[in-house]
Amino acid sequence: MAFKEALEKVLQLEGGLRLYRNPTEQAETYAGIYRKAHPNWVGWNYIDRGEKPPFEILEKFYYENFYKPFEKVKDEKVKNLLFETAVNLGVKQTVKLLQKVLGVKADGILGPITLQAIDSIPEEELIKDFTLARIAFYTALANKNPKRYALYLRGWVNRALEAMSWVS
C-alpha cells in the first residue's frame, strides 16, 4: 500500500474531509488536522474564507508531518501502521511506543537501532504487539484523565483494531 492509499484509509478513520469540533477540544479539526496542534497549516486560510482546502495541501501536510518520518522503515505494512498511529499520537509518541514494544531505548528517535529492531521481528508479530501496546496506552491515558479522555477510549480502540486489520 503506497502513501496515497494509506492516506485514504487514514482520512476514513479521521472522519473524512469535514470540519468538526470534539467535545473536549478547544479548536476545530479538519480532516484530522487539529487547529490548536497545527495552527500554521495553510489549509486554515481556505477554511477561514469558507472554502474547502485543495486536496494537495492536505496530502502534503500528511506526507511531510506523519509519513515521511517513517520512510526508512522497510516493511510497508509496519510503515503504514506507524503513519496512521502518528496521525493520532504524534510521531515522537508513536516511535516511543514502538521502541517499548521492540525492547530498545524509548527516546522517540527512529534511528538505526530501532530500524534494525523492526527488521528483527516477524511483521505480523510486530503489528499485533504494537496494536496491543497502543490499546494499553489509550487505556492508561483514559484512566489517568477520565474527564478528558474516557469518552474517546472506545473510538481509539476501534481505530487501533481497524488500522491493524487494513495493514494485515
Side-chain angles (χ1 to χ4, degrees), residues 31-159:
I33 302 171
Y34 180 40
R35 188 185 287 250
K36 188 172 180 191
H38 305 285
N40 298 321
W41 177 54
V42 70
W44 295 121
N45 296 329
Y46 290 88
I47 291 167
D48 292 342
R49 292 192 307 261
E51 300 171 15
K52 186 177 178 181
F55 189 76
E56 295 76 28
I57 290 172
L58 185 77
E59 191 175 58
K60 182 179 180 187
F61 174 84
Y62 273 100
Y63 180 80
E64 293 293 326
N65 289 281
F66 302 111
Y67 190 83
K68 190 175 182 179
F70 299 106
E71 282 189 323
K72 291 182 180 177
V73 174
K74 294 175 195 167
D75 187 287
E76 198 72 23
K77 291 179 180 181
V78 173
K79 182 189 312 182
N80 288 330
L81 182 61
L82 296 174
F83 161 56
E84 185 281 322
T85 305
V87 169
N88 193 242
L89 293 180
V91 172
K92 189 168 187 163
Q93 185 61 54
T94 297
V95 174
K96 283 183 175 182
L97 190 61
L98 172 67
Q99 290 167 326
K100 288 177 185 174
V101 169
L102 296 170
V104 299
K105 182 180 175 187
D107 59 7
I109 299 167
L110 188 64
I113 294 171
T114 304
L115 290 168
Q116 185 177 23
I118 291 170
D119 294 339
S120 72
I121 296 178
E123 171 190 89
E124 289 302 317
E125 182 181 330
L126 179 55
I127 288 169
K128 287 175 187 168
D129 289 351
F130 182 79
T131 300
L132 289 172
R134 184 176 173 186
I135 291 169
F137 175 84
Y138 290 139
T139 303
L141 191 63
N143 287 338
K144 185 177 179 182
N145 191 343
K147 283 188 176 184
R148 181 159 186 207
Y149 297 119
L151 80 115
Y152 301 117
L153 182 58
R154 181 171 289 157
W156 288 337
V157 170
N158 288 338
R159 179 188 180 123

